[in-house]
Amino acid sequence: MNYRYITSLFLVFFSLTSCKGQTETPKIAVEVLEQNWFHADSLLHHVQVLSSDVFEGRRTGTAGAKKAKAYIVNKFQELQVIPLTENYEQHFSFTRRSKEYAGTNVLGLIKGTEKPEEYIVLSAHYDHEGIKGGKIYNGADDDASGISALFAFAEYFQKNPPKHSVILAAVDAEELGLVGSKYFVKNSIIPVKNIKLNINMDMISRNNKNELFAVGPYHYKQLEPAIKSIQPSENIKLRMGHDGSDTLDDWTQSSDHAAFHDVKIPFIYFGVEDHKDYHKPTDDYENIHPNFYQNAVTTIIAVFKKLDTIEL
């Protein structure tokens, strides 16, 4: 499918919200032409590639996962992302249900301009379900969408260097129990105390109600103002919840952000509610929602941009 390159400008405006007895707080509109942050056609292309049958569902330890790892390393190199390890790779092994697995996290680094010793980890998992019953589970939304968003961030940083240092973490074995992210935290290459925030992206490319959830501020109240300050485009609704504060499913332990939360590193998890193709062989590129996805990534970058300016 062909998609027009997005060049429309989000209008800049300020909508004031006020509470009785409190100072009015301006909301910051998502305001920049997309080509200034990332290329929409590239964002879609990477999801299409990573969720193609060539990668055989990216099951940890399989040939398809190794192809995905090589693809991510190559893109990090092209986007001038510095390797956090000698060759971007952090290897680990584990046993699950009497089967031994070998996994690999792919870790890149963007040095901060003002706070290089303080780190924000941007994470997404590249593994998925593999082949089951002769059918390939391609995992377009889960989580090729998050990996491609990491590439979009790398594009953004080329023209907008972050104040904090940023680790781009493409983690493995999420589907097998968050193993890659837990290994990353427990065997951190930098001091854990220097990791100030995790932003995790897992399933961000489709939603019939145009809702994107930001989970985490209920546990880390200091993050809430940054999220509330963002006014997304009219085509997306940025909501907080799914965190134990409401009647919705609690996602606090549902993805790789849990590894950070378990050691009290603040997190924001961006994701959507389950859809009919969740963990099914029909989670294909053709079923993502391109406009929603582009708006979701733009919104996440806008939240990051705000958080990068405050004391974490």
Side-chain angles (χ1 to χ4, degrees):
M1 298 176 70
N2 293 320
Y3 298 95
R4 290 181 299 173
Y5 184 76
I6 306 299
T7 57
S8 58
L9 180 66
F10 291 107
L11 297 178
V12 181
F13 67 96
F14 294 92
S15 60
L16 299 179
T17 59
S18 61
C19 297
K20 188 175 181 180
Q22 296 182 359
T23 304
E24 292 184 338
T25 304
K27 286 195 173 184
I28 302 171
V30 177
E31 61 185 76
V32 70
L33 282 170
E34 190 158 302
Q35 70 259 30
N36 288 341
W37 281 11
F38 61 88
H39 292 88
D41 52 354
S42 294
L43 182 75
L44 297 172
H45 172 72
H46 296 310
V47 175
Q48 185 176 30
V49 172
L50 285 168
S51 63
S52 67
D53 288 352
V54 172
F55 292 86
E56 300 177 332
R58 309 186 306 276
R59 179 85 169 175
T60 297
T62 65
K66 293 176 182 177
K67 289 178 183 177
K69 177 194 70 177
Y71 187 90
I72 295 166
V73 168
N74 183 63
K75 287 309 303 179
F76 278 0
Q77 291 173 333
E78 287 183 10
L79 293 166
Q80 301 174 354
V81 177
I82 301 169
L84 185 61
T85 64
E86 184 177 353
N87 59 355
Y88 297 96
E89 299 178 11
Q90 182 186 45
H91 301 284
F92 58 92
S93 59
F94 62 101
T95 302
R96 180 179 172 84
R97 295 178 181 174
S98 301
K99 183 176 180 179
E100 294 184 359
Y101 290 89
T104 306
N105 295 329
V106 184
L107 308 174
L109 173 66
I110 306 292
K111 291 293 290 183
T113 58
E114 296 182 12
K115 299 179 179 181
E117 300 306 316
E118 295 186 5
Y119 294 80
I120 298 173
V121 178
L122 302 178
S123 59
H125 72 91
Y126 71 88
D127 65 296
H128 194 55
E129 294 287 317
I131 301 174
K132 298 190 295 185
K135 295 182 179 180
I136 301 176
Y137 287 62
N138 281 317
D141 189 37
D142 186 14
D143 186 30
S145 66
I147 294 298
S148 188
L150 289 182
F151 300 152
F153 263 101
E155 285 189 51
Y156 169 75
F157 292 140
Q158 288 182 324
K159 294 184 179 179
N160 305 275
K163 293 177 173 59
H164 295 80
S165 287
V166 173
I167 295 173
L168 300 178
V171 297
D172 198 358
E174 190 270 354
E175 302 288 4
L176 294 173
L178 317 182
V179 183
S181 54
K182 289 178 180 178
Y183 186 88
F184 170 83
V185 172
K186 291 180 180 178
N187 300 273
S188 184
I189 296 165
I190 61 165
V192 171
K193 65 182 177 64
N194 289 6
I195 301 176
K196 302 301 180 180
L197 175 67
N198 168 236
I199 295 177
N200 185 40
M201 298 172 287
D202 189 355
M203 297 175 58
I204 57 172
S205 66
R206 57 183 290 188
N207 184 262
N208 291 329
K209 296 185 288 187
N210 288 332
E211 290 180 338
L212 176 70
F213 278 88
V215 180
Y218 173 67
H219 303 286
Y220 303 98
K221 299 295 186 182
Q222 70 271 27
L223 303 178
E224 189 172 305
I227 295 171
K228 287 185 174 181
S229 73
I230 302 302
Q231 177 64 53
S233 78
E234 62 183 10
N235 296 319
I236 195 168
K237 302 168 188 174
L238 181 60
R239 295 186 56 188
M240 289 185 283
H242 279 291
D243 51 18
S245 66
D246 49 34
T247 59
L248 302 173
D249 292 340
D250 189 348
W251 294 346
T252 302
Q253 295 287 329
S254 68
S255 184
D256 291 304
H257 53 277
F260 297 86
H261 177 57
D262 288 348
V263 294
K264 305 196 182 308
I265 295 172
F267 75 90
I268 301 176
Y269 162 47
F270 289 99
V272 299
E273 293 184 325
D274 291 354
H275 45 73
K276 64 183 180 66
D277 300 309
Y278 171 67
H279 276 200
K280 293 182 179 178
T282 48
D283 184 8
D284 293 321
Y285 173 75
E286 290 75 18
N287 292 326
I288 73 167
H289 301 161
N291 289 334
F292 172 82
Y293 180 36
Q294 294 158 26
N295 289 332
V297 174
T298 301
T299 299
I300 296 168
I301 292 177
V303 173
F304 169 88
K305 183 180 178 182
K306 179 66 177 179
L307 290 167
D308 193 35
T309 66
I310 68 175
E311 190 69 29
L312 296 173

